[in-house]
Amino acid sequence: MSENSKPNVYAYHDFVKFLNDWFAYLKKTRSDFTLRNFAAKSKIALGYMNMILKRERNLTEKAFYKIVSSLFLNDDEQKFLNLLRIVGQSTDSNARLNAVNEMMKLKKFKLNNRKENRTYEYLTKWYYVAIYEMFNIDDFQMDPKWIQSKLKRKISLSDVEQALEFLKTNEFVKLNSNGNWAQAVTHLDCTEGIFKISLAEFHKQMLEIAHESIHTVKGEDRFIMGQTMAICKTDFEKIKKIIQASIASINDVNSNSGFKDEVYHIEIAAFPLSKLNKEGAK
C-alpha cells in the first residue's frame, strides 16, 4: 500500500492486516480520527481494540458489529470483512468453508484474487484433480465419455466437460508439439488462508472416497493401513517428517515409472484421537 492509497478490502486475505492498514489510512485522511475516539464511539475498550490489532485477542461477532458501522465501509465491504474474520479465526471448519464459498461469489473478490479463485475451484471439486492426473495415463483420450467411464465415483458428463474446460482455460493442460493435450507445469501453494481451507476440503472429499473404497474396491486394488498408538506430543513433528519423507519416496517411484495406466490418490494421515493432558504436559 502506498502512503496515501486507500486499502481495497477485496484484495486482503487477513482481516487484521486490513484493519491495521485501514486505521493507518484513516489517520492520514481524517484529521479527527484516533483509535481512542474510534473505540469510544464503538463502545468497546481501547485495550481490547489494541489487542485485536496485535493478534492477542479474537474479534468476536458482537464486537465486530459494534465497530463496523464506524469504519466508513459500505454494506458489501462490511459483509466481506466479516467473512474474512470468520475465515481467519473461526474454529468451525464448516463455517470457514461456507465463508469462503460466499467470498467466491463476489465479483470484486474474483477480480482481485484470480489465483485464489482458480485454486479454490480446482481443489474443492475432487474430480478436477483426478481428471488432471488422467492426462498422464498412456492411453488417455480427450473424450468426456471415455473420462466419465474411467472414474470409479460416477459424475455427470456435464461435470466432466466443465472440468476439462476449467483445466484448459486455466492452463493446467496445454497442447504440446504433437498437437495433443498434456499437463502443464503447475504449482499450487496451499499453505495459508483460503488456499489452506481449499486444501482441507479436498482432503475431506478424498477421505470420503477412501471410506467408500472399503466397500466398492477389491482388497488387492486398495491398501488402507494405520495404527493407533499413544505418543509423546513432542514426537509429533518427527512423525510428520517421516510421513513427508514417505510421500517424497513415493513421488520418486512415480517419477521413474515409464508407464502409467491408472490414477490413485495416496493419503497418509496422522491425527489425534484424544485431548492433550495440558496439566501433565512438560
Side-chain angles (χ1 to χ4, degrees), residues 229-272:
M229 64 185 74
I231 68 168
C232 176
K233 184 65 174 180
T234 56
D235 286 336
F236 185 59
E237 287 302 317
K238 296 177 184 177
I239 293 171
K240 284 168 60 178
K241 288 179 180 178
I242 292 170
I243 293 173
Q244 289 166 350
S246 298
I247 289 292
S249 295
I250 292 168
N251 277 327
D252 288 340
V253 171
N254 189 46
S255 297
N256 294 323
S257 175
F259 179 80
K260 297 179 174 66
D261 56 4
E262 195 168 0
V263 174
Y264 266 69
H265 177 75
I266 300 166
E267 187 84 35
I268 302 175
F271 47 89

Side-chain angles (χ1 to χ4, degrees), residues 52-103:
I52 290 169
L53 297 177
K54 293 177 181 178
R55 303 182 192 277
E56 294 173 355
R57 291 281 299 275
N58 281 341
L59 176 61
T60 66
E61 183 177 19
K62 182 178 180 180
F64 174 81
Y65 285 114
K66 281 186 176 181
I67 72 170
V68 72
S69 60
S70 302
L71 286 174
F72 306 103
L73 299 172
N74 64 38
D75 290 345
D76 288 341
E77 290 169 335
Q78 291 179 22
K79 177 183 177 181
F80 181 79
L81 185 59
N82 191 41
L83 293 172
L84 277 186
R85 180 189 67 83
I86 295 169
V87 169
Q89 64 180 36
S90 176
T91 57
D92 184 334
S93 60
N94 286 328
R96 292 197 305 271
L97 182 62
N98 288 337
V100 174
N101 284 335
E102 290 300 311
M103 290 165 65

Side-chain angles (χ1 to χ4, degrees), residues 129-270:
V129 183
I131 292 172
Y132 172 70
E133 285 301 322
M134 290 177 77
F135 280 80
N136 284 322
I137 295 176
D138 285 78
D139 63 348
F140 175 76
Q141 297 178 30
M142 191 65 163
D143 175 10
K145 289 184 178 179
W146 182 89
I147 293 170
Q148 183 190 42
S149 71
K150 289 293 184 180
L151 291 170
K152 285 188 176 294
R153 193 188 224 192
K154 298 305 179 185
I155 63 172
S156 69
L157 197 60
S158 62
D159 282 339
V160 176
E161 292 169 342
Q162 182 184 41
L164 289 173
E165 183 61 30
F166 171 88
L167 294 173
K168 289 189 288 185
T169 301
N170 290 278
E171 298 186 335
F172 279 73
V173 297
K174 294 181 179 180
L175 285 171
N176 60 22
S177 57
N178 297 322
N180 298 319
W181 288 96
Q183 280 189 353
V185 178
T186 302
H187 173 71
L188 297 176
D189 181 358
C190 304
T191 56
E192 297 296 337
I194 293 167
F195 294 123
K196 196 170 183 179
I197 292 170
S198 302
L199 186 60
E201 176 61 17
F202 170 72
H203 284 298
K204 176 185 175 184
Q205 292 179 18
M206 284 300 175
L207 287 170
E208 289 172 354
I209 296 173
H211 175 262
E212 291 173 7
S213 75
I214 295 173
H215 308 287
T216 61
V217 177
K218 293 179 180 179
E220 59 267 28
D221 292 333
R222 58 176 167 80
F223 184 75
I224 299 175
M225 180 180 181
Q227 183 169 339
T228 303
M229 64 185 74
I231 68 168
C232 176
K233 184 65 174 180
T234 56
D235 286 336
F236 185 59
E237 287 302 317
K238 296 177 184 177
I239 293 171
K240 284 168 60 178
K241 288 179 180 178
I242 292 170
I243 293 173
Q244 289 166 350
S246 298
I247 289 292
S249 295
I250 292 168
N251 277 327
D252 288 340
V253 171
N254 189 46
S255 297
N256 294 323
S257 175
F259 179 80
K260 297 179 174 66
D261 56 4
E262 195 168 0
V263 174
Y264 266 69
H265 177 75
I266 300 166
E267 187 84 35
I268 302 175

Side-chain angles (χ1 to χ4, degrees), residues 14-21 52-55 89:
D14 182 336
F15 80 98
V16 176
K17 178 69 166 61
F18 172 78
L19 286 178
N20 276 290
D21 287 352
I52 290 169
L53 297 177
K54 293 177 181 178
R55 303 182 192 277
Q89 64 180 36

